[in-house]
């Protein structure tokens, strides 16, 4: 396949400013094309991206160069029994009784503490004062780590996400990511050894003591998973909360509907994941030549799957460029499972293991923010804009509100 001459360049400033216009062009005129700068095939249509996530012929070998240098080898790179066992080891902490009894109080406390910092002021930047810190603080507390290290983890998280989205291969960004791997390992490995010797009632201890069919996680496995949790769990929730409020503030009628009926929060989250997802692209590598809807991807090639485009494919969603929390073609009952209609948590065997944790954080965070911010509106003169290419969300979201009693 040759390069499509008129296809939008995903590394261009124009794409960074407005990927959605580029997605519309790709979906109709260039649904599969070779992108020289990233040495990958770009695919955008829903049916093709969904297949790349579900069909086992599409491997995650790309993570050997994309993630492993900064995380170590993670569950995302595994397949077969190895993957099934590792997922069985970590999944129980992120669902059901374990999530509800152990970690919902952690989420509640962190939401309250951050909101207490501005609830009486009548103003806040929902990105800098809340969303950017909330999920990282929750993860640190779930792991039972020192709360005084929240800021340190925030720095590591930023460097890891920078490495992941470094499509232009900036050497300083790459160096910061590699340095973070060393620093995080030096911090985490001694603590992991301590928890093995004296487990507590925290997620890190649960990971240290978990065993399935005689298999346990090594110290390096646990460290790599914690690094992955920091990045994947932090980035999706961080940007989702900011994006939910940006979308609702730009649609005041829907904001008031959600304020009046908090059971709509999960639907607002699901629609935000579709309309303005935190992660806009994920890579895969086919193990053999694969025929997609409009062309062939050769074995071993990198396939860049544009989630942000697929979630707005008019072949799959009605009025795809319209934000609508009442959307009928995006059922909430499946939106946080491997049967989701949006593609923002991927699908199949690598569906996001932390989806229910993210849902709990968003439901609690958005609910408490709405309680604390009556008559909330975008601050005068502010024009919140999304930033990012690989991951994307509002860089800033200044608001004004009437302080609650």
């Amino acid at each position: 396949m040759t390069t499509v001459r008129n296809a939008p360049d995903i590394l261009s400033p124009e794409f960074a400013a407005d990927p959605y216009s580029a997605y519309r062009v790709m979906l109709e005129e260039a649904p599969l094309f070779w992108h020289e700068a990233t040495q990958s095939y770009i695919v955008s249509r829903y049916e093709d991206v969904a297949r790349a996530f579900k069909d086992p012929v599409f491997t995650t070998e790309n993570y050997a160069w994309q993630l492993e240098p900064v995380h170590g080898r993670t569950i995302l790179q595994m397949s077969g029994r190895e993957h099934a066992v590792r997922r069985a080891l970590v999944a129980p902490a992120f669902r059901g009784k374990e999530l509800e009894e152990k970690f919902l109080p952690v989420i509640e406390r962190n939401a309250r503490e951050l909101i207490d910092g501005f609830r009486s002021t009548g103003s806040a930047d929902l990105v800098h004062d809340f969303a950017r810190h909330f999920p990282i603080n929750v993860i640190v507390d779930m792991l039972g780590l020192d709360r005084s290290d929240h800021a340190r983890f925030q720095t590591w998280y930023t460097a890891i996400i920078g490495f992941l989205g470094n499509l232009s291969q900036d050497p300083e960004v790459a160096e910061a990511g590699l340095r973070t791997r060393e620093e995080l390992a030096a911090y985490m490995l001694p603590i992991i050894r301590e928890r093995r010797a004296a487990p507590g009632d925290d997620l890190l201890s649960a990971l240290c003591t978990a065993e399935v069919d005689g298999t346990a996680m090594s110290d390096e496995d646990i460290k790599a998973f914690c690094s992955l949790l920091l990045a994947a769990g932090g980035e999706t929730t961080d940007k989702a909360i900011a994006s939910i409020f940006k979308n609702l503030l730009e649609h005041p009628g829907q904001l008031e509907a959600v304020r009046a009926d908090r059971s709509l929060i999960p639907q607002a989250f699901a629609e935000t994941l579709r309309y303005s997802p935190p992660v806009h692209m994920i890579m895969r590598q086919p193990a053999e030549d694969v025929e997609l809807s409009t062309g062939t991807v050769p074995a071993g090639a990198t396939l860049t799957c544009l989630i942000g485009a697929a979630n707005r494919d008019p072949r799959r969603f009605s009025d795809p460029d319209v934000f609508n929390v009442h959307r009928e073609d995006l059922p909430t009952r499946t939106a946080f499972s491997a049967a989701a209609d949006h593609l923002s948590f991927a699908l199949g065997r690598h569906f996001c293991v932390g989806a229910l944790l993210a849902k709990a954080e968003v439901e609690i965070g958005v609910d408490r923010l709405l309680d604390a911010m009556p008559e909330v509106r975008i601050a005068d003169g502010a024009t919140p804009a999304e930033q990012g290419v690989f991951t994307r969300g509002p860089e800033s979201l200044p608001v004004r509100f009437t302080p609650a009693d």
Side-chain angles (χ1 to χ4, degrees), residues 43 48-62 283-292 297-298 301 303 305 349-350:
V43 64
D48 293 328
V49 174
R51 183 183 172 193
F53 290 161
K54 291 189 291 186
D55 191 332
V57 73
F58 289 93
T59 76
T60 55
E61 293 296 322
N62 52 289
M283 279 74 164
R284 291 289 188 262
Q285 283 185 207
E288 58 190 55
D289 292 359
V290 176
E291 185 75 22
L292 295 178
V297 180
L303 182 68
C305 303
R349 66 195 184 282
H350 287 293

Side-chain angles (χ1 to χ4, degrees), residues 107-332:
I107 297 169
E108 288 271 8
R109 183 184 69 235
N110 277 283
R112 183 183 65 250
E113 289 175 353
L114 287 168
I115 293 170
D116 282 348
F118 58 79
R119 72 168 68 242
S120 64
T121 67
S123 66
D125 185 321
L126 294 183
V127 173
H128 295 278
D129 295 333
F130 187 84
R132 189 163 291 170
H133 302 283
F134 178 48
I136 304 303
N137 293 1
V138 167
I139 290 167
V140 171
D141 290 358
M142 287 176 63
L143 291 168
L145 301 175
D146 192 335
R147 303 193 82 211
S148 67
D149 288 327
H150 280 173
R152 182 187 296 192
F153 275 90
Q154 191 73 41
T155 300
W156 287 335
Y157 153 73
T158 301
I160 291 169
I161 291 301
F163 186 95
L164 175 63
N166 190 21
L167 298 178
S168 62
Q169 297 299 300
D170 183 314
E172 292 186 6
V173 173
E175 182 182 352
L178 296 174
R179 186 169 60 249
T180 290
R181 175 176 175 170
E182 296 176 0
E183 292 175 357
L184 188 59
Y187 178 96
M188 287 297 305
L189 290 174
I191 298 175
I192 291 169
R193 289 190 286 269
E194 290 173 3
R195 298 294 165 85
R196 285 199 191 280
D201 189 29
D202 54 71
L203 175 58
L204 187 57
S205 295
L207 296 174
C208 288
T209 57
E211 186 174 307
V212 171
D213 295 337
T215 300
M217 298 175 73
S218 69
D219 291 0
E220 180 60 30
D221 285 340
I222 295 171
K223 187 275 297 178
F225 181 76
C226 291
S227 178
L228 180 64
L229 178 63
L230 185 67
E235 186 72 351
T236 52
T237 309
D238 166 353
K239 288 183 165 48
I241 291 175
S243 294
I244 287 170
F245 271 94
K246 178 178 182 294
N247 292 336
L248 291 175
L249 287 163
E250 291 175 346
H251 299 81
Q254 296 186 56
L255 172 61
E256 291 313 307
V258 174
R259 183 185 293 282
D261 180 3
R262 304 300 171 85
S263 70
L264 287 174
I265 293 175
Q267 186 61 29
F269 183 21
E271 175 66 345
T272 292
L273 289 172
R274 185 202 67 82
Y275 179 77
S276 51
V279 179
H280 273 238
M281 55 187 74
I282 289 179
M283 279 74 164
R284 291 289 188 262
Q285 283 185 207
E288 58 190 55
D289 292 359
V290 176
E291 185 75 22
L292 295 178
S293 65
T294 59
T296 301
V297 180
T302 298
L303 182 68
T304 298
C305 303
L306 295 181
I307 295 170
N311 279 344
R312 292 196 180 203
D313 189 339
R315 296 160 192 80
R316 178 60 186 81
F317 297 103
S318 61
D319 298 320
D321 295 321
V322 174
F323 178 81
N324 179 12
V325 299
H326 305 290
R327 179 175 293 277
E328 295 182 357
D329 50 7
L330 188 67
T332 309

Side-chain angles (χ1 to χ4, degrees), residues 34-57:
W34 172 254
H35 185 248
E36 188 68 27
T38 59
Q39 291 290 290
S40 72
Y41 289 85
I42 309 292
V43 64
S44 54
R45 287 187 179 171
Y46 184 96
E47 66 171 301
D48 293 328
V49 174
R51 183 183 172 193
F53 290 161
K54 291 189 291 186
D55 191 332
V57 73

